[in-house]
Structures are given as structure tokens and as C-alpha cells.
Amino acid sequence: MNTLLVNQSLLAYNTFGVEATARYFMEADSLAAVQTALRLPEVQGLPLLVLGGGSNLLFTRNFEGLVLKISLKGIELLDEDKQFYYVRAAAGENWHGFVQHCIAHGWAGVENLSLIPGTVGAAPIQNIGAYGVELKDVFEELQAIAIADGSLHTFSHSDCRFAYRESIFKHQAKGQYIIISVTFRLSKIPQINTSYGAISQTLAEMGIASPTIAEVSRAVIRIRQSKLPDPAELGNAGSFFKNPEIPKTQFEALQHQYPDMPAYPAATPDCVKVAAGWLIEQCGWKGKRMGNTGAHRKQALVLVNYGGASGMEIWQLAQQIQASVAEKFGICLQPEVNII
Ligand code: EPU
């Protein structure tokens, strides 16, 4: 911890389980350690990669700069009012561990986000979401260090410009800040959200009529485990592509040809969000293996490493999938995973 390592293997630091090397690597467990790392003479002028759980990236090459793993820990109740608890979690906390901590304390709002891999600090960057809830629904503010001068900044909800799998940290503020803590606004009176089809069905199968937040969490865990591969067993980074938003007119034409094509409301006006997993399955990729990689047999949107795949091999498969979806549907899939 807090020591600069040279030529460090990143195999254990990415859930795809691909081999890549970092020219420099440091794991920082405090604000001071992060600030020190940024000032190290060895790394001046070199690219920087800030790493959380390594669960949303694909290394296609070695990283010729500093990989800084954020390992700050701690969860504290800062304040409360009639309706809410305000809880601050350090960026290096494991996301699911944080969710379990909230459930154990009766802090409601993150239960639908159970079992998402990764860390608290990475969660706002792509506004993680699942089963009808997004991080932005429980977000209060975050603290981040400016990479340029090590100064500390607070970002409010509106500062972050959250959208579907998007925030300012993927756009205007990209590569400029390191998130060190996130403050959540969690409900005292749970707003149970089972609107996402599979949750109510799973709760019914579990024999639960009026669920607690712990039971919603158990249902979500059950659904995720039934179709998403565990990265500890089969390398993957969750959904590889985003669900694309397409113009309503294009959707209507496609729906004519494919009446069972799933669709959801989109944030963009006059657009519809369509299911990338469905598009990929229609192109024949579901369960298809290409060398050491392939599209998962239960969820085509998840690309997997069967063992020994290189990042480039996975990226080539992703590009073939993009090309076939573009050819069949005229839709351009965008990676959700960060390609390094
Ligand atoms: N579908 C298929 N074939 C497939 C996969 C999906 O036909 O191989 C269809 C399903 O039947 C369903 C629709 O596509 O009608 C949507 O599938 P699903 O409910 O599994 O969700 P998703 O849209 O594929 C999104 C998120 C997941 C999140 C789930 C649940 C994105 C890119 N992915 O997946 O997030 O867990 O909803 O809310 O938005 C992640 O971001 O890494 C992730 C796993």
C-alpha cells in the first residue's frame, strides 16, 4: 500500500482477467497518499489511470503510465433529517459491501443496486444502474481531488450532469479528477421499487408479498446470479455495450419487422431505448464462443473470457458484434466498458 511499484501485472486488477502491465502502479489508502502519488517525480508527464474495482474496463495493451488504485475506506452517517440519512462512503469501499451495510442499518434506496461489481468511487462516473434504480436517485454530493494541483472539490448533483450511464466525469471533467468519497441521501421510509418485471416475479417465487429492503436485495441478487456470470468464475465486465437510443421512426420501422423487439422510454426526445442484448442475440452471438472469448449463453450483452483471452481478442469480438448489429439493424452499439 502507498508504495510505487514498477512493471506491475494488472491481471488481478481487472475482472475480465486479461494480462496487461502497468509501467508504474500504486495503491493509495488515504487522501494524502493520493496527493503524494500525483507529485511523484517518476510519473510526471505520464498518463494516469485511476482504478476502482477494475470491473468496467478492458485492457487491450500495457499501460505506459501510472495506474493508481483507490483504496480509501470508511462509511459514516453524517447527518439525518425527518426523511433522510446522509451517509458518506470512501471511494475505495466495495459497492456491494456498502449496499449490505446500508441494508443492515435500515438506510433505504440502494437495495436494487445489490451485487453490482466495483467500488463506491467509480459508481458516479457511469451513474451505475439496475432494476429500475440509478445512482443519481440516491446521490447527494461527492468529493474529488483535481489531478492538476491536488486541490479538493465538492460536486453537487447538478454539477455531475448525470444521464443514462453518463456523468460529467466521462465528458468535460474526464481525466481531471479523482473521486475520493460519495455522500448518499438514503430514505428512512423505504420506497420499495419492484417495477422492474423480474423483481416482483422473483419475490412472488420467494413467497414474499410486502418485501423489506433486505428482501428486495435478496431478489435482485437471485436475478443477477441467475443470468450474469460471476467474474471470479468467468472473466467479464458486465454489460459490454450500452442500450442504444434510436429515433422513434427507426424503431417503428424495425418493430414492423420484429414485433417482439424490447423497447424502453429514452431520455432523448423522440427516441426509444432498445435492448442491446436482444440485438446481439438476434445476430446469432448468444452463447457463441470464438477462441477464448464469447458472448455469454444467458445474457448476450456480457462478453466473457473463458480463460487466457487477451484484451485485444475480446475487443476484436466486440467489434465483430458491432459490425453485425450495424449491418442487420442499422444501429451503432457503443461500448459501456472503458477500452484502454
Ligand atoms: N435480452 C435478450 N437476449 C439477451 C439479453 C437480453 O433478448 O441475450 C432481452 C431481455 O429478454 C429483455 C431485454 O433484452 O427483454 C433487456 O434485458 P435485461 O433485463 O437482462 O437487461 P439489459 O438491458 O440487458 C440492463 C443493464 C444491466 C442491468 C440490467 C437490469 C445496461 C447496458 N445494462 O441490462 O447493467 O443489470 O439492465 O437493470 O443498461 C451493467 O451495466 O454492467 C449491467 C449489467
Side-chain angles (χ1 to χ4, degrees), residues 5-9 21-25:
L5 305 174
V6 182
N7 292 330
Q8 169 69 38
S9 166
T21 304
R23 181 145 143 214
Y24 293 105
F25 180 93

Side-chain angles (χ1 to χ4, degrees), residues 55-56 112 116-117 126 128-134 164-165 196 198 223-224 227-228 236-244 260-264 273-282 286-287 296-302 336-337:
S55 55
N56 202 48
N112 292 46
I116 295 183
Q126 62 150 337
I128 59 168
Y131 306 106
V133 175
E134 289 183 337
Y164 166 63
R165 296 295 192 275
Y196 187 90
I223 301 166
R224 290 189 75 98
K227 60 177 168 185
L228 296 173
N236 75 88
S239 301
F240 194 91
F241 300 103
K242 292 201 278 188
N243 285 332
D260 62 344
M261 182 172 178
Y264 312 94
K273 193 193 276 181
V274 294
W278 184 91
L279 298 170
I280 297 168
E281 180 174 349
Q282 295 300 309
K286 192 172 188 173
H296 190 51
R297 66 188 171 86
K298 291 186 189 162
Q299 168 45 297
L301 189 49
V302 178
E336 197 237 56
V337 165

